[in-house]
Amino acid sequence: MRILALDQASNVSGWAIFNNEDLEQYGKIDVSKYYDLGERLHILRQKVKSLIEDENIDKIILEDIYMDG
């Protein structure tokens, strides 16, 4: 099973791809240069979609939400 793990950030989001339990790849998606939140999220979505399609991902795991305040 190929798993894509993502963190919750909207400026620089880390990702990792596991093949079963073995880490295969990792990196980050940096959209911090885009000031508009909608534009950042659109580009982030496109990059995540590309990872899913290009790497034949079976399951996606998201980091738990951190509540500050």
Side-chain angles (χ1 to χ4, degrees):
M1 177 178 298
R2 296 183 58 72
I3 299 170
L4 173 62
L6 295 165
D7 75 15
Q8 65 165 337
S10 64
N11 283 313
V12 180
S13 183
W15 59 268
I17 296 175
F18 294 86
N19 191 10
N20 296 314
E21 294 182 11
D22 298 325
L23 176 63
E24 268 192 1
Q25 300 178 53
Y26 59 90
K28 64 182 178 181
I29 301 170
D30 186 349
V31 292
S32 62
K33 68 181 178 181
Y34 302 98
Y35 296 106
D36 179 65
L37 176 61
E39 187 175 15
R40 278 198 322 261
L41 294 176
H42 175 73
I43 293 168
L44 181 62
R45 179 187 170 276
Q46 287 179 321
K47 292 184 181 284
V48 169
K49 182 180 177 193
S50 292
L51 279 171
I52 293 167
E53 292 172 352
D54 295 345
E55 300 298 330
N56 299 313
I57 299 300
D58 299 307
K59 182 184 255 187
I60 300 169
I61 297 175
L62 297 172
E63 174 187 40
D64 198 4
I65 296 173
Y66 172 73
M67 299 297 286
D68 188 21

